[in-house]
Amino acid sequence: MMHTSSVLAFPPPDAAESAEWLRKKLAYYADAWDVAEDLSRGVSEIVVIDTRSPEAYRAGHICGAVSFPHRTMTAESTASLDRSKVYVTYCDGIGCNGSTKGAWKLASHGFRVKELIGGLDFWRRDNHPLAEGDEPGSWPLAATLPGCGC
């Protein structure tokens, strides 16, 4: 009895086309490991933006992230941002589109952006450090990056 493949019902593109599409996909997203690694190394070219409400930010956010709710992003409110930086937006997780709305608004105002895959949910799942309160906080010197296995 011959079995048909569900995976191959839609054949994959050739290798070059796959490589180009995947390169583009990686240009739009960052994962928790990559962001944590950059924050732990003090990479200054990125700014992590928490697009949730000030109350959600205060309750717990990525160490070093700036609170900038997507609902408040306008041409005027973004005017003082540094256009040489890459802004990494996040919200609660895959069930929330606040990071997408924030990234869209920033990009619409001429900023380079990436979204954090899985948001704060994946950040917590990977056991990366959090800060509480109204200040961004900084990466704890004693923090080590857990292995992500990828």
Side-chain angles (χ1 to χ4, degrees):
M1 175 177 186
M2 184 162 185
H3 297 282
T4 57
S5 171
S6 295
V7 171
L8 300 176
F10 296 92
D14 66 44
E17 189 177 347
S18 285
E20 180 58 17
W21 184 84
L22 293 166
R23 184 194 65 76
K24 286 181 180 179
K25 182 178 177 183
L26 289 168
Y28 293 100
Y29 299 101
D31 68 5
W33 173 265
D34 291 344
V35 172
E37 187 173 55
D38 280 3
L39 290 174
S40 73
R41 292 180 178 172
V43 172
S44 62
E45 292 87 1
I46 67 165
V47 175
V48 180
I49 293 184
D50 186 317
T51 64
R52 303 172 304 148
S53 71
E55 296 77 23
Y57 177 85
R58 196 173 299 118
H61 58 270
I62 292 173
C63 292
V66 176
S67 177
F68 195 170
H70 72 86
R71 295 180 192 281
T72 66
M73 292 179 182
T74 63
E76 295 78 23
S77 68
T78 61
S80 64
L81 295 178
D82 184 344
R83 292 189 181 276
S84 72
K85 305 289 185 183
V86 172
Y87 293 91
V88 180
T89 61
Y90 77 91
C91 55
D92 284 330
I94 61 173
C96 174
N97 66 5
S99 63
T100 304
K101 288 177 180 178
W104 174 76
K105 288 178 180 181
L106 290 170
S108 296
H109 295 301
F111 297 94
R112 296 178 302 145
V113 297
K114 288 190 174 214
E115 274 189 274
L116 176 62
I117 297 171
L120 198 58
D121 182 38
F122 284 18
W123 184 267
R124 284 185 171 129
R125 188 177 70 176
D126 289 348
N127 294 314
H128 295 303
L130 295 170
E132 294 179 352
D134 292 318
E135 296 301 317
S138 58
W139 193 266
L141 295 177
T144 58
L145 293 176
C148 75
C150 56

